[in-house]
Amino acid sequence: MNEEVKLLKGNEAIALAAIRYGVDGYFGYPITPQSEILETLEAEMPWDTTGMVVLQAESEVAAINMVYGGAASGKAVMTSSSSPGISLKQEGVSYLAASELPALIVNVMRGGPGLGTIHPSQADYFQATKGGGHGDYHLIVLAPKTVQEMADFVYLGFDLAFKYRTPAMILADGIVGQMMEKVVLPPARPRRTKEQIAEQCPWAVTGKLASRKQNVVTSLELDTAKMEENNNRFQSTYRLIEQNEQRYEEYLTDDAEYLFVAFGSMARICQKVIDDMRAQGIKVGLVRPITLWPFPAEVFDRLSQKVKGMLVVELNAGQMIEDVKLASQCRVPTYHFGRLGGIVPNLGEISDAFFKYFPDAKK
Amino acid sequence: MNINDIIKPENLVYAKPRLLNDNHMHYCPGCSHGVVHKLIAEVIEEMGMEDKTVGIAPVGCAVFAYNYVDIDWVEAAHGRAPAVATGVKRLNPENLVFTYQGDGDLSAIGTCETIHAANRGENIAIIFINNGIYGMTGGQMAPTTLEGMKTSTTPYGRSVDLNGYPLAISPLLAQLDGTCYVTRQAVHTPVAVRKTKAAIRQAFENSMNGLGTSLVEIVSTCNSGWKMTPAQSNKWMEENMFKKYPLGDIKNTVK
Amino acid sequence: MKEELIIAGFGGQGVLSMGKILAYAALMDNLEVTWMPSYGPEQRGGTANVTVILSDSEISSPMLDDYDTAVILNQQSLDKFESKVKPGGTLIYDSYGIHKAPTRTDINIYRIDAMEATFEMENAKAYNMIVLGALLKIKNLLPVESVIKGLKKTLPERHHHLIPMNEDAIKRGMTLVK
């Protein structure tokens, strides 16, 4: 299977990309607005083609623990859900991180807290980037803004997860999940063979071979000195990821006097606002973090030394703005604009907010 | 006669299974876990499945099962062993996958995962240690704690009004179409030990034959938690636990 | 070329699938396209709408404040979207069930009687294709051949025998435009 052009919903793109990547297993539970991922996988019947296992679990809790079992055996496994379901998965996510298991978790965010709404939101930024479950850990968090990136980040997410032996998350929202766009599906890869898995994942539980000691996948260590050692190892992996994997996109930042900062679907909405403002001669640009963790601190450190101010636009009450301020060392006035509860701001609201905070920009 | 005359191979009457390693067990003297661990090690060895077996350890006293039985293990979150086993088995159907769970893990926090794994007929074996108490955390009430039984959270005895009835989960699981074999055994006498070993062997074979979920409940003692000597515990178990949890096959579709 | 459209009506009128066929047709013509639905329970009987953007260059926001063209199929949607058509833009509405006609004078307003035509064709399922035909005639966005190709993509193979019927409906819709 070579590249294939399709018109797909973001959720469908994730499902089809998973099959093409050679994912071994998907375990999920229905929840709006991401159920098309499980539905598409069930309809595609990849068990007949690539041998991929797809299973509707009895709960999000069970699904993430099936992922834990599959990942422990060295397989490429994933799950997906939306905000309330992701909260349920957090126990398992913490175990995955602590057991240094690669896996992919997709969160197509909806408005919360609580059962909330089914409409788009970005209110799980803190949960995704600061840990989510208990203990000191991070996930690699990728924020797609297009349906194309929904597909591409399945590949990137798994590649990074295996490279660093850590779970990765695609943090999307209802807009990218539900919208349709043109997608070029990446070239298909065969699923890894048993031998390839054994070589890539010597730690995997496969049945103890005479040639090696037993493999135990566990997050438990009652000896505090050893547990600190484990934590130090996790932290050095995180430092390495921070060094190597910061990803972001700049849009018209070269001569920008003010910056919009947004991730995922909001970055696209801001791009349109910027185009309209540029047409009026206002020099604005956009920075879009692609990895929300590791946060692309470098670009904010650099650009905050030359712009006059930043407006962080998020579908939440102000979460990523904290990282923007830290990374830019609060050098310039930095404000937040967001709508809550599943409401997506219109373009006018965003530019109004910009001029409210930066009235001088009009001159 | 000196020691070298005695340790000749032809004089050997008993040997520890190779897969049971030499680590000192943390289990209390008199605890049933050690015996069941040994049986599992023996069965895997006898089946020649060491290079295919993945055990799923629980949260509870057996959390460190992987320190004693020298096979590959995954240590699951509390109650989630059947889901973890599902993940391992579905992706590695050639493996022998079993969970080892206590009554808190299997019949309290993990009831949902247990019932649904069994209902899907996952080709796994579940070894279920029922001693009617939470051993590891210090003797609190379990769903299987008998009426009137004293624990650290039912200091005046389990009251049905307050805590509900003791939960016999094996008959419940036997009703599910996904289970092929549900049996209740014990390890308090040599005869019982032999029967339990046969039950574990059948459960393991069932799962490799793709027949569905097998459950071996082992009614056990927790002399520390019960605050009795090991001998008293065995007697108390026979007189009280066996009334609520009688031994024998509950379901066997594989005759 | 860039066209920003909203199609709005009741759930069940085929609003989302009409947008989808348009999107597929655009794909056949090598255009960039976004299709952004209102989603959730309102699809099942309440109001439904979909924003479709066709463009020969990269599309930024899939959600919009105002539109080049609005295709309106019920009163609630007319009330909501009449004011959101760009000056000089186009508003196409089906008169069926509309008791308060649009009043703007700075846009091009087309009334089509698609529901009436559906009754005449005795085929309720043709409704959204009739509307699509009218849209294509008014806006000349895409060749009909691309739309038929798009239809083939959206319809599962077992329904491909319905394509001639849909083609007829599109042509019927084109005749409704005066």
Side-chain angles (χ1 to χ4, degrees):
Chain A
M1 275 192 289
N2 286 321
E3 289 184 344
E4 204 178 326
V5 183
K6 288 196 170 232
L7 185 71
L8 295 172
K9 277 190 172 192
N11 290 334
E12 295 165 342
I14 284 193
L16 297 184
I19 298 170
R20 292 174 78 92
Y21 180 83
V23 171
D24 296 301
Y26 169 95
F27 302 94
Y29 185 81
I31 180 172
T32 308
Q34 64 79 54
S35 297
E36 293 89 350
I37 300 176
L38 175 58
E39 288 168 356
T40 305
L41 285 169
E42 295 282 6
E44 289 289 318
M45 299 198 291
W47 47 89
D48 280 344
T49 50
T50 69
M52 177 184 181
V53 169
V54 181
L55 185 62
Q56 178 172 342
E58 65 269 31
S59 67
E60 285 93 347
V61 175
I64 192 73
N65 282 285
M66 291 171 186
V67 166
Y68 187 74
S73 69
K75 303 278 179 165
V77 280
M78 65 182 289
T79 184
S80 67
S81 189
S82 180
S83 308
I86 293 290
S87 292
L88 278 169
K89 288 185 196 291
Q90 291 300 342
E91 174 197 45
V93 176
S94 171
Y95 278 63
L96 283 165
S99 305
E100 298 172 281
L101 293 180
L104 183 68
I105 300 133
V106 179
N107 181 0
V108 182
M109 288 180 281
R110 54 188 252 183
L115 198 50
T117 164
I118 58 170
H119 292 287
S121 167
Q122 298 180 322
D124 302 346
Y125 178 91
F126 280 152
Q127 185 196 51
T129 60
K130 309 297 175 186
H134 58 283
D136 270 328
Y137 73 91
H138 283 290
L139 308 176
I140 294 171
V141 183
L142 306 170
K145 73 164 186 178
T146 58
V147 175
Q148 182 66 51
E149 286 186 348
M150 290 287 256
D152 293 345
F153 288 180
V154 170
Y155 279 55
L156 180 61
F158 268 115
D159 286 350
L160 293 175
F162 274 93
K163 181 174 178 191
Y164 295 101
R165 272 188 73 181
T166 189
M169 175 178 272
I170 293 178
L171 191 69
D173 59 57
I175 298 173
V176 205
Q178 289 295 326
M179 71 183 290
M180 290 206 307
E181 274 187 296
K182 191 155 93 179
V183 187
V184 182
L185 286 173
R189 302 183 191 174
R191 283 173 58 228
R192 290 165 306 150
T193 62
K194 224 181 148 162
E195 292 69 32
Q196 286 169 322
I197 290 172
E199 202 189 318
Q200 187 182 17
C201 313
W203 42 264
V205 296
T206 55
K208 181 183 168 296
L209 304 173
S211 54
R212 65 160 168 84
K213 290 189 168 173
Q214 68 168 167
N215 280 340
V216 176
V217 171
T218 181
S219 57
L220 176 69
E221 182 50 74
L222 292 183
D223 181 332
T224 50
K226 284 188 186 159
M227 194 62 210
E228 186 178 50
E229 207 177 286
N230 288 352
N231 269 278
N232 286 336
R233 193 176 60 249
F234 308 154
Q235 292 304 321
S236 48
T237 302
Y238 299 147
R239 297 298 86 77
L240 201 62
I241 296 171
E242 282 172 337
Q243 263 173 41
N244 300 341
E245 306 299 345
Q246 293 184 23
R247 285 171 167 78
Y248 56 88
E249 178 190 22
E250 291 180 65
Y251 181 65
L252 305 178
T253 55
D254 280 352
D255 62 343
E257 293 176 351
Y258 298 89
L259 285 183
F260 283 89
V261 184
F263 68 95
S265 57
M266 289 314 293
R268 296 178 67 158
I269 296 178
C270 287
Q271 258 175 284
K272 177 132 180 134
V273 173
I274 289 165
D275 289 342
D276 293 348
M277 289 170 78
R278 283 264 171 184
Q280 300 164 43
I282 300 161
K283 288 183 175 166
V284 283
L286 170 79
V287 176
R288 170 176 78 107
I290 294 172
T291 51
L292 301 183
W293 197 92
F295 191 70
E298 179 271 319
V299 66
F300 293 103
D301 186 39
R302 175 162 51 83
L303 292 179
S304 63
Q305 302 187 39
K306 61 171 226 184
V307 299
K308 295 179 184 166
M310 296 190 279
L311 181 64
V312 185
V313 183
E314 307 172 73
L315 293 178
N316 59 44
Q319 299 192 15
M320 184 173 68
I321 187 174
E322 294 189 2
D323 289 326
V324 174
K325 282 182 163 181
L326 275 173
S328 61
Q329 301 176 47
C330 296
R331 282 193 193 97
V332 292
T334 303
Y335 300 97
H336 176 267
F337 176 73
R339 292 294 304 264
L340 310 176
I343 291 184
V344 179
N346 58 40
L347 307 161
E349 281 177 276
I350 297 173
S351 52
D352 287 353
F354 176 84
F355 289 122
K356 183 181 116 190
Y357 292 122
F358 303 115
D360 291 347
K362 266 190 179 154
K363 285 166 198 162
Chain B
M1 197 194 227
N2 65 24
I3 186 156
N4 289 320
D5 298 322
I6 297 169
I7 63 167
K8 283 180 186 159
E10 61 265 33
N11 290 339
L12 185 71
V13 289
Y14 176 82
K16 180 170 75 67
R18 185 173 46 80
L19 293 179
L20 198 65
N21 63 28
D22 291 333
N23 291 340
H24 284 282
M25 283 193 176
H26 71 287
Y27 300 118
C28 309
C31 173
S32 312
H33 276 305
V35 180
V36 181
H37 281 25
K38 188 200 74 168
L39 295 179
I40 287 171
E42 278 178 0
V43 170
I44 295 169
E45 215 170 291
E46 286 165 17
M47 288 174 73
M49 290 295 283
E50 168 185 357
D51 60 347
K52 288 270 182 287
T53 304
V54 177
I56 316 296
V59 168
C61 282
V63 70
F64 286 122
Y66 53 75
N67 281 343
Y68 313 122
V69 182
D70 192 20
I71 55 169
D72 282 359
W73 286 90
V74 184
E75 161 48 37
H78 199 16
R80 315 297 174 224
V84 174
T86 299
V88 177
K89 183 68 180 181
R90 288 274 179 144
L91 292 168
N92 304 278
E94 72 285 5
N95 280 15
L96 168 61
V97 181
F98 73 93
T99 71
Y100 187 105
Q101 302 175 262
D103 40 51
D105 197 82
L106 182 140
S107 67
I109 193 165
T111 315
C112 181
E113 285 78 5
T114 304
I115 287 179
H116 284 282
N119 192 51
R120 285 191 303 267
E122 297 295 341
N123 290 310
I124 58 171
I126 298 174
I127 310 300
F128 168 37
I129 306 294
N130 175 11
N131 57 15
I133 204 160
Y134 284 61
M136 174 171 251
T137 45
Q140 295 85 4
M141 181 188 69
T144 48
T145 296
L146 298 180
E147 197 178 340
M149 194 171 159
K150 286 182 181 169
T151 71
S152 67
T153 51
T154 53
Y156 310 106
R158 179 179 188 152
S159 137
V160 163
D161 288 348
L162 191 61
N163 308 113
Y165 297 93
L167 177 61
I169 196 157
S170 294
L172 204 147
L173 293 169
Q175 292 179 36
L176 304 176
D177 292 337
T179 53
C180 58
Y181 178 49
V182 178
T183 187
R184 193 185 277 129
Q185 303 294 336
V187 289
H188 62 307
T189 65
V191 174
V193 169
R194 276 199 292 276
K195 282 187 179 168
T196 298
K197 183 175 170 183
I200 292 172
R201 171 104 191 200
Q202 193 191 335
F204 282 11
E205 282 174 357
N206 288 347
S207 62
M208 288 318 290
N209 291 333
L211 300 173
T213 307
S214 298
L215 178 98
V216 181
E217 173 176 346
I218 299 157
V219 184
S220 305
T221 59
C222 177
N223 46 288
S224 296
W226 293 359
K227 305 197 188 310
M228 296 175 197
T229 65
Q232 283 169 340
S233 294
N234 276 347
K235 190 157 179 281
W236 193 88
M237 175 172 73
E238 285 181 63
E239 286 168 1
N240 299 279
M241 293 286 280
F242 288 176
K243 264 190 218 153
K244 174 72 192 172
Y245 307 112
L247 305 190
D249 284 358
I250 298 166
K251 176 184 190 179
N252 192 351
T253 62
V254 194
K255 283 283 163 64
Chain C
M1 176 269 181
K2 189 170 199 182
E3 180 72 18
E4 299 175 333
L5 291 120
I6 184 143
I7 307 165
F10 286 120
Q13 281 179 317
V15 165
L16 299 189
S17 56
M18 177 180 160
K20 209 178 262 188
I21 291 159
L22 200 59
Y24 270 107
L27 188 72
M28 297 299 130
D29 262 24
N30 287 319
L31 293 172
E32 296 297 324
V33 59
T34 63
W35 175 93
M36 180 68 220
S38 61
Y39 62 87
E42 70 264 33
Q43 284 175 22
R44 307 183 216 290
T47 59
N49 68 68
V50 60
T51 303
V52 179
I53 306 175
L54 318 176
S55 173
D56 52 17
S57 58
E58 192 191 321
I59 298 165
S60 55
S61 176
M63 298 171 90
L64 302 164
D65 289 3
D66 45 24
Y67 309 90
D68 297 319
T69 301
V71 178
I72 301 297
L73 305 178
N74 68 4
Q75 185 69 51
Q76 283 154 289
S77 301
L78 183 60
D79 296 344
K80 193 168 169 188
F81 293 112
E82 182 184 353
S83 63
K84 298 196 173 156
V85 178
K86 291 178 198 169
T90 303
L91 189 154
I92 302 166
Y93 75 102
D94 183 356
S95 60
Y96 190 80
I98 299 289
H99 50 84
K100 224 176 86 201
T103 55
R104 277 178 67 176
T105 52
D106 61 336
I107 56 174
N108 305 304
I109 297 176
Y110 294 86
R111 180 189 131 166
I112 50 159
D113 296 328
M115 192 61 89
E116 292 292 333
T118 308
F119 296 148
E120 284 161 25
M121 285 181 81
E122 292 179 351
N123 187 349
K125 284 186 179 148
Y127 178 67
N128 63 348
M129 291 298 100
I130 295 174
V131 176
L132 181 60
L135 169 67
L136 291 171
K137 171 85 183 196
I138 293 164
K139 293 291 301 191
N140 196 24
L141 294 170
L142 296 158
V144 175
E145 303 79 68
S146 301
V147 176
I148 299 301
K149 273 199 224 163
L151 250 177
K152 279 189 185 148
K153 281 274 175 187
T154 33
L155 281 178
E157 207 120 320
R158 64 180 191 281
H159 290 150
H160 276 193
H161 65 278
L162 298 173
I163 288 173
M165 182 275 282
N166 282 289
E167 203 169 346
D168 287 349
I170 289 171
K171 285 179 182 149
R172 180 66 193 268
M174 291 180 143
T175 66
L176 295 179
V177 182
K178 282 138 205 159

